Amino acid sequence: MKQPSLVLIPFAEYSIGSNVLPIIGPLGSSYRTTTAYEVGKDKILNLRGVNKQLRHWEGDKVSYKSERENTNYYIWSSDFSNGAHSKNNVVFTSEEGIAPNGKLESWSMKPTTEAAVAKYSQQLVTSGSLDESTFSIYAKNDGSEPLNILLTRGTSPYTIWGDADFNLTSGTVVENSNGIARIEDAGNGWYRVSVSGTPVDTGAQIIRVGTGSTATYLGDGVQLWGGQFETNRIPTSLITTDATPTFKNDDQLLIYESSSNIFTEHEGAFYFDLRFDDLGDALSMFTFNDTTTNNRVQVRSQANGSSIMILVSKDSDLFTYVHNVDAYSKNVKVMVMVDGYSSRISVNGTIVAVDTSTTLAFSDVTRLVNANTDYTDNSTRFSGIYTDIRAYPMKITDEEANYLTSV
């Protein structure tokens, strides 16, 4: 098998101490000025330091997580004793169990009455945004279910824009009357539950967590930890808060050549193994480029959440191809082969597109970024996970490309 000039494989960090295999000599770094939580082995959340790529484990497979900047507006996110959390027919007791970060930090919300009345905790939260927003929280069954999340306007008429019930035993959404509900296994009996919708105004919003929308279940309680309210279509990596909203910077990646042999100018291939977050836009990008839009090989999201775009620009001669593939719930493998005669694309083991409209080659391709052209551009930041990125400075046949994108 032909040897690439650059390989970015997260698993290599565990075997050789570096995630970029220095086959010829690339230079580069990841940048993030804030700490952030990553999903470790056994789904335990680990706090990752600044300028460290976020690792994302799924069983024995590790990838890297890349996200745009974000803010958690839900204060005292894991301290439910604070007065910011108003209580109605419930009481909280601390250190009832091991939280998703492996520490004794979870709180148990227990009813104070057996009457069939509403039992919940809520907080008034202001993000000032009319964009799609998401509330998420880690929850574990402690004898009471279903768990209800209710999102409403903070003042009369209290318009509901998110409402869902969750079964914390089966790990399912059992009712979803407003907004979009999700539940994700977080390990050790924990689930991350979330509801997304669009606030009806920019004022304060009621974020309510209760023991069921009908309020008739007389159970023991539920463990809670790590609440998060953010302006985003889906829940992102946990951002813990105290007395004020907390900001997390975006995950920036830049790898550039330190010699003239890493990125080919005349013929070669570029490989991407990615999974996109469904952000409802076409602005999530991973790109080999020359610092401009003139010379690029790029894979990017699409707003429909059911296809991707593959883009090749050779001295501004542009070829784009949109491919319908599930790249939002599973990894997609893409190989783009280029020379002075054609651009060829393989996706998940099949040649899906060939362009022979240009005889141009690249004038220069010098770096890899998880954005469009500028690695600092948050608006085009790739949001999702990346498992394997490679550059080959030689011709790759269709058969070789299909093999690499199918294994």
Side-chain angles (χ1 to χ4, degrees):
M1 181 61 65
K2 297 171 181 174
Q3 182 161 298
S5 55
L6 175 143
V7 181
L8 172 58
I9 302 179
F11 195 79
E13 181 179 346
Y14 297 87
S15 59
I16 65 171
S18 172
N19 61 327
V20 180
L21 301 187
I23 295 171
I24 294 180
L27 301 175
S29 299
S30 58
Y31 306 89
R32 185 180 8 87
T33 59
T34 53
T35 60
Y37 277 92
E38 64 180 14
V39 178
K41 288 186 176 180
D42 300 320
K43 299 186 178 180
I44 299 296
L45 297 183
N46 302 313
L47 192 62
R48 189 77 157 155
V50 299
N51 295 336
K52 299 287 187 180
Q53 289 159 285
L54 297 181
R55 297 164 296 195
H56 184 87
W57 284 88
E58 295 172 307
D60 292 331
K61 179 181 178 181
V62 63
S63 303
Y64 280 127
K65 182 73 174 175
S66 169
E67 293 177 326
R68 299 173 187 172
E69 64 185 33
N70 217 342
T71 297
N72 182 6
Y73 297 94
Y74 189 79
I75 62 174
W76 301 106
S77 58
S78 294
D79 183 358
F80 294 91
S81 67
N82 190 273
H85 302 277
S86 61
K87 290 87 174 175
N88 189 73
N89 297 317
V90 297
V91 64
F92 280 89
T93 56
S94 64
E95 297 187 352
E96 288 293 318
I98 298 175
N101 63 349
K103 300 179 181 180
L104 287 171
E105 293 183 353
S106 70
W107 290 76
S108 184
M109 183 174 69
K110 297 180 181 292
T112 57
T113 176
E114 293 186 356
V117 293
K119 304 175 180 72
Y120 60 83
S121 171
Q122 72 179 32
Q123 184 179 141
L124 277 174
V125 181
T126 302
S127 68
S129 175
L130 283 175
D131 294 327
E132 194 163 9
S133 302
T134 297
F135 175 71
S136 60
I137 195 166
Y138 290 87
K140 183 176 182 178
N141 181 35
D142 205 11
S144 176
E145 56 182 320
L147 175 75
N148 173 255
I149 291 178
L150 182 69
L151 312 176
T152 79
R153 187 173 184 263
T155 56
S156 181
Y158 303 106
T159 307
I160 296 173
W161 53 273
D163 188 6
D165 290 344
F166 303 88
N167 185 310
L168 298 179
T169 300
S170 62
T172 57
V173 178
V174 294
E175 186 176 346
N176 186 190
S177 56
N178 292 90
I180 299 174
R182 303 175 181 86
I183 185 166
E184 178 185 359
D185 183 5
N188 193 31
W190 285 93
Y191 292 93
R192 195 181 195 189
V193 298
S194 65
V195 179
S196 303
T198 303
V200 296
D201 63 29
T202 59
Q205 309 297 319
I206 291 175
I207 308 296
R208 178 179 293 183
V209 181
T211 57
S213 57
T214 60
T216 59
Y217 185 83
L218 308 180
D220 297 324
V222 60
Q223 290 187 51
L224 299 173
W225 184 80
Q228 185 157 310
F229 182 65
E230 57 192 298
T231 304
N232 208 54
R233 191 178 189 180
I234 61 170
T236 59
S237 299
L238 176 67
I239 306 170
T240 57
T241 63
D242 290 321
T244 58
T246 300
F247 170 81
K248 181 182 79 70
N249 200 6
D250 57 341
D251 299 289
Q252 303 172 14
L253 175 70
L254 169 64
I255 297 175
Y256 58 95
E257 63 180 10
S258 58
S259 71
S260 61
N261 299 316
I262 294 179
F263 304 113
T264 180
E265 296 180 14
H266 303 291
E267 66 177 12
F270 303 85
Y271 176 82
F272 306 81
D273 184 351
L274 310 170
R275 185 190 311 165
F276 290 86
D277 290 334
D278 185 4
L279 299 183
D281 64 38
L283 298 175
S284 180
M285 310 177 189
F286 229 110
T287 314
F288 288 92
N289 65 29
D290 67 346
T291 76
T292 74
T293 61
N294 298 334
N295 294 277
R296 286 179 295 165
V297 175
Q298 181 180 91
V299 181
R300 64 194 294 174
S301 64
Q302 293 295 278
N304 58 17
S306 61
S307 60
I308 58 173
M309 176 183 285
I310 297 122
L311 179 152
V312 180
S313 180
K314 301 175 180 178
D315 278 345
S316 299
D317 187 86
L318 185 64
F319 168 59
T320 61
Y321 172 74
V322 175
H323 186 67
N324 189 29
V325 61
D326 182 5
Y328 300 86
S329 66
K330 62 183 70 172
N331 280 42
V332 60
K333 298 179 180 180
V334 177
M335 176 78 84
V336 180
M337 299 160 284
V338 295
D339 54 32
Y341 305 97
S342 68
S343 298
R344 309 174 72 83
I345 299 170
S346 173
V347 177
N348 291 346
T350 303
I351 299 295
V352 296
V354 177
D355 174 57
T356 57
S357 62
T358 179
T359 58
L360 294 175
F362 292 114
S363 62
D364 205 10
V365 174
T366 58
R367 64 181 190 166
L368 168 72
V369 296
N370 61 337
N372 184 16
T373 57
D374 187 347
Y375 73 96
T376 65
D377 183 13
N378 176 71
S379 66
T380 61
R381 174 75 55 236
F382 171 75
S383 183
I385 67 172
Y386 53 105
T387 304
D388 191 347
I389 307 290
R390 306 181 198 180
Y392 290 83
M394 77 284 288
K395 183 175 181 178
I396 299 294
T397 67
D398 289 356
E399 292 76 12
E400 290 170 328
N402 288 342
Y403 172 77
L404 287 169
T405 61
S406 63
V407 294

